[in-house]
Amino acid sequence: MEGLELSIFNIISNGGNAKGLVYEAMEAAEKGDFEQADNLMKEADEFLTVAHQTQTELLQGEANGDKHDISLLMVHAQDHLMTSIEVRNLADLVIRMNKRLHDLEIQD
């Protein structure tokens, strides 16, 4: 596997790992385990950081004249990263809502 393909798979793999962890965090929050949810979100952020850094390196390379053909695999990697970031952002809201519901249930 060459440099570009390795970078593409790096984005796909790290984005996918992050997305999976975010879904696990939402499930933990639904069960009232907010400490676990927080830990999972932090772990997801580490994977997203790696994926985003890889994407940034590719963008900087292109800006410096290192042009590549647009492949379906590259489009898939970009889509994977974008949806992972969006799911992560939405998870913040879902976890906060679950926390509020949990706190209200405890008050009753």
Side-chain angles (χ1 to χ4, degrees), residues 62-77:
E62 186 169 314
N64 290 326
D66 187 16
K67 304 284 186 199
H68 299 283
D69 292 330
I70 297 174
S71 68
L72 183 57
L73 202 53
M74 175 62 89
V75 171
H76 177 65

Side-chain angles (χ1 to χ4, degrees), residues 38-79:
D38 185 52
N39 290 337
L40 289 163
M41 291 292 279
K42 287 177 183 173
E43 190 176 353
D45 286 343
E46 292 173 14
F47 282 105
L48 281 175
T49 297
V50 173
H52 191 261
Q53 286 173 340
T54 302
Q55 178 195 47
T56 299
E57 290 168 8
L58 290 173
L59 290 170
Q60 288 173 339
E62 186 169 314
N64 290 326
D66 187 16
K67 304 284 186 199
H68 299 283
D69 292 330
I70 297 174
S71 68
L72 183 57
L73 202 53
M74 175 62 89
V75 171
H76 177 65
Q78 293 301 113
D79 182 54

